[in-house]
Amino acid sequence: MRHDHLITSKQLSRPDIETVLDRAAEIDADPSAVADRHANTLLGLLFFEPSTRTKMSFETAMKRLGGDVVDMGSVESSSVKKGETLADTVRVIEGYTDALVLRHPKQGAATMASEFVDVPLLNAGDGAGHHPTQTMLDLYTIRENAGLDDLTIGIMGDLKYGRTVHSLAHALTNFETQQHFISPESLQLPREVVYDLHQRQDGTGIKEHESLEGVLPSLDVLYVTRIQRERFPDENEYQKVAGEYQIDAETLEAASDDLTVMHPLPRVDEIAPEIDDTDYAAYFDQAHNGVPVRMALLDLLLSDDRGIRGETDE
Amino acid sequence: MSDDHDHHDGNDDHELRVSKIRDGTVIDHVRGGQALNVLAILGIDGTNGEEVSVGMNVPSNRFARKDIVKVEGRELSQDEVDVLSLIAPDATINIVRDYDVVEKHRVERPDVVEGVLSCPNAGCITTGDEPVTSRFTVLEDGVRCSYCETIVREEIASLIET
Ligand SMILES: [Zn+2]
């Protein structure tokens, strides 16, 4: 199936994902080959909530493809403040640009916006919903470091509210993976997400744990996310819980030498800085991979033969 | 076929409680207490002058108590009645012409319902001022918002748009 927009990683089949990752690897290997590929192309940046990092990454990707960006700016300074609907905003900006990137606080915003526009729309986060470009760069990083099949991955931290986790877990069901979810009971995966994962797999590939200790030695990848203070009623409770889901050099003594540690960043104290210089750490590479992966997505969606489509599909 | 929708329930006298209709639709075997939700989901509130009769908590064999809704002068389409499956899965639909039941069918679960339910998730894009029609996919045991993906399994009737 051809995809004209990128709304959720759920829409992508394994061949679709591989098409994107392969293209990203080509671009990563020789960025100069695509330096003028999308000259005169304008990307509209519609960020209804702040996300400097994601916005800069998209801006860099578009410029490295020879194009440029126009930025709506902050919500405070735009017509949105005057009560314009999202449907109107995207229909106006679509007339200025060749593609749109949307981040919006409401879930389903990108799905709805895509129904109003003809230019490709990329979802850069819709509230507690999806963030598929993050998922694609996570998959790219996992593939580079550990491979996506025969993979045993631990995903740890705030699994309840972390949208990157939900998207990633779902995307991984396209591959032969054993997924371990490690979190305090109060921050377990939402039942909706578990329901989806079980729809995709027979359940043998998915296990939930409250402690890292038992599963750590078996992991190829440990994906750490931040547990936020505001999820807990009081400071003591937070300190007690958060401490159990932080890792340092001592924690990793029980891990395989080939373990890859990932984190969507920014981190606070979930991963001790002493791990940064070890072979385990892949989180800065992961952040850098956002550029070639977003270049690949923009390239696929903006090419004449436009759309993301896996080779064995259709 | 006679016009009598419920002889088999052995409660002939209950027909007296809900008047017969000449042309229109009789929705029978609605779970007791759901009749008003049936009207709401069909968007029938009487303001268009429809002649509507409702029997609530009528004795029935199939359930201890059932509701019946009769709408005079309007034949409901299959699509219209299919949304009833969400709250009245056992309902039977009788299309009546000149006092005769000319068609009788069960409700079927549709794949998608549009513009009927509103999303209970305050963080959903459909709950604001956007010009968008609500859309839910129908699961085996509930419904799911096509925009925010929230799943609702209980009290679906409370989501009916008013
Ligand atoms: Zn919704």
Side-chain angles (χ1 to χ4, degrees):
Chain A
M1 183 178 163
R2 194 183 96 177
H3 306 285
D4 295 325
H5 306 287
L6 179 66
I7 306 301
T8 126
S9 57
K10 277 188 201 173
Q11 74 186 131
L12 302 179
S13 66
R14 178 176 177 141
D16 295 332
I17 292 169
E18 286 173 339
T19 299
V20 175
L21 302 188
D22 290 348
R23 186 73 184 121
E26 276 171 32
I27 291 172
D28 211 359
D30 185 9
S32 62
V34 292
D36 297 315
R37 193 169 153 80
H38 293 282
N40 301 317
T41 299
L42 272 183
L43 179 65
L45 301 177
L46 305 173
F47 279 68
F48 288 81
E49 57 179 18
S51 174
T52 317
R53 204 77 64 82
T54 303
K55 191 153 98 172
M56 282 180 72
S57 176
F58 268 109
E59 191 167 348
T60 307
M62 191 70 253
K63 289 181 174 174
R64 291 240 184 256
L65 289 166
D68 208 342
V69 298
V70 286
D71 186 345
M72 177 184 85
S74 71
V75 168
E76 283 66 32
S77 62
S78 73
S79 53
V80 177
K81 194 104 191 281
K82 299 179 191 118
E84 186 175 60
T85 63
L86 176 62
D88 280 3
T89 305
V90 294
R91 279 180 288 187
V92 171
I93 310 301
E94 138 174 77
Y96 306 159
T97 58
D98 302 296
L100 296 172
V101 174
L102 174 69
R103 170 170 292 211
H104 195 278
K106 293 260 185 178
Q107 281 167 262
T111 303
M112 189 210 74
S114 72
E115 293 169 0
F116 286 90
V117 298
D118 292 323
V119 301
L121 183 138
L122 294 95
N123 184 7
D126 56 340
H130 298 281
H131 191 10
T133 61
Q134 175 74 45
T135 303
M136 298 307 289
L137 75 87
D138 289 343
L139 293 173
Y140 183 80
T141 308
I142 294 169
R143 192 170 82 161
E144 275 200 320
N145 285 276
L148 283 164
D149 283 314
D150 294 324
L151 172 76
T152 303
I153 185 171
I155 303 181
M156 181 168 85
D158 180 351
L159 309 183
K160 186 173 182 181
Y161 300 97
R163 65 180 158 198
T164 59
V165 164
H166 307 161
S167 291
L168 177 61
H170 197 277
L172 284 170
T173 62
N174 286 293
F175 302 89
E176 284 162 39
T177 55
Q178 172 72 46
Q179 300 192 56
H180 295 282
F181 297 98
I182 306 136
S183 71
E185 199 184 351
S186 62
L187 294 175
Q188 279 179 345
L189 286 176
R191 296 305 98 182
E192 255 90 350
V193 175
V194 175
Y195 172 88
D196 276 348
L197 295 178
H198 282 288
Q199 295 289 105
R200 303 271 306 171
Q201 293 195 329
D202 60 12
T204 56
I206 295 156
K207 288 202 178 100
E208 297 180 271
H209 312 265
E210 283 186 48
S211 158
L212 175 64
E213 208 182 343
V215 292
L216 179 61
S218 69
L219 300 182
D220 301 311
V221 173
L222 176 60
Y223 192 105
V224 183
T225 65
R226 192 176 153 212
I227 293 179
Q228 296 186 42
R229 162 73 188 87
E230 55 267 35
R231 306 295 181 211
F232 291 86
D234 69 81
E235 185 67 27
N236 279 348
E237 185 71 9
Y238 164 69
Q239 289 298 348
K240 206 175 87 194
V241 169
E244 288 179 46
Y245 300 92
Q246 289 165 354
I247 60 166
D248 56 22
E250 198 190 330
T251 320
L252 295 187
E253 278 170 15
S256 147
D257 288 344
D258 297 326
L259 177 73
T260 298
V261 176
M262 295 173 60
H263 191 295
L265 302 184
R267 70 174 152 174
V268 179
D269 50 10
E270 311 79 82
I271 301 177
E274 64 194 19
I275 296 174
D276 297 358
D277 295 326
T278 69
D279 290 339
Y280 297 125
Y283 29 93
F284 291 111
D285 285 340
Q286 182 185 356
H288 300 162
N289 288 338
V291 174
V293 167
R294 291 187 172 101
M295 286 170 78
L297 288 163
L298 288 168
D299 182 43
L300 291 166
L301 290 168
L302 285 162
S303 295
D304 295 338
D305 177 30
R306 162 182 139 176
I308 298 169
R309 84 188 92 185
E311 276 173 13
T312 63
D313 265 0
E314 182 184 9
Chain B
M1 209 185 274
S2 95
D3 70 321
D4 200 336
H5 323 301
D6 240 283
H7 265 144
H8 310 291
D9 282 8
N11 274 298
D12 300 12
D13 65 335
H14 88 260
E15 287 293 328
L16 297 173
R17 294 177 208 142
V18 183
S19 65
K20 289 184 182 181
I21 62 171
R22 177 179 181 142
D23 297 295
T25 306
V26 176
I27 303 160
D28 200 353
H29 300 111
V30 174
R31 280 188 190 158
Q34 289 293 327
L36 297 180
N37 287 327
V38 164
L39 288 170
I41 216 167
L42 294 171
I44 296 171
D45 60 5
T47 55
N48 293 322
E50 305 100 329
E51 206 175 293
V52 179
S53 15
V54 173
M56 293 182 82
N57 295 316
V58 177
S60 157
N61 280 355
R62 205 183 298 177
F63 315 118
R65 299 273 163 176
K66 67 171 185 179
D67 288 3
I68 303 181
V69 174
K70 301 189 179 190
V71 185
E72 176 78 50
R74 191 164 149 199
E75 293 185 8
L76 296 171
S77 69
Q78 186 71 41
D79 280 353
E80 279 182 294
V81 299
D82 282 349
V83 301
L84 294 178
S85 67
L86 301 177
I87 55 161
D90 305 298
T92 48
I93 310 300
N94 303 278
I95 304 292
V96 178
R97 287 181 200 145
D98 203 15
Y99 299 109
D100 270 341
V101 174
V102 295
E103 273 175 50
K104 192 172 186 118
H105 41 100
R106 304 286 303 265
V107 297
E108 284 169 34
R109 286 177 87 73
D111 296 331
V112 175
V113 291
E114 287 191 342
V116 176
L117 307 173
S118 60
C119 187
N121 172 11
C124 177
I125 191 73
T126 63
T127 61
D129 297 325
E130 300 294 336
V132 61
T133 305
S134 73
R135 187 168 69 230
F136 286 79
T137 52
V138 179
L139 311 174
E140 258 170 55
D141 59 345
V143 294
R144 178 172 220 178
C145 177
S146 302
Y147 291 91
C148 72
E149 303 182 354
T150 296
I151 296 176
V152 183
R153 293 200 170 82
E154 274 143 39
E155 307 214 3
I156 291 168
S158 68
L159 305 182
I160 297 167
E161 285 185 355
T162 47

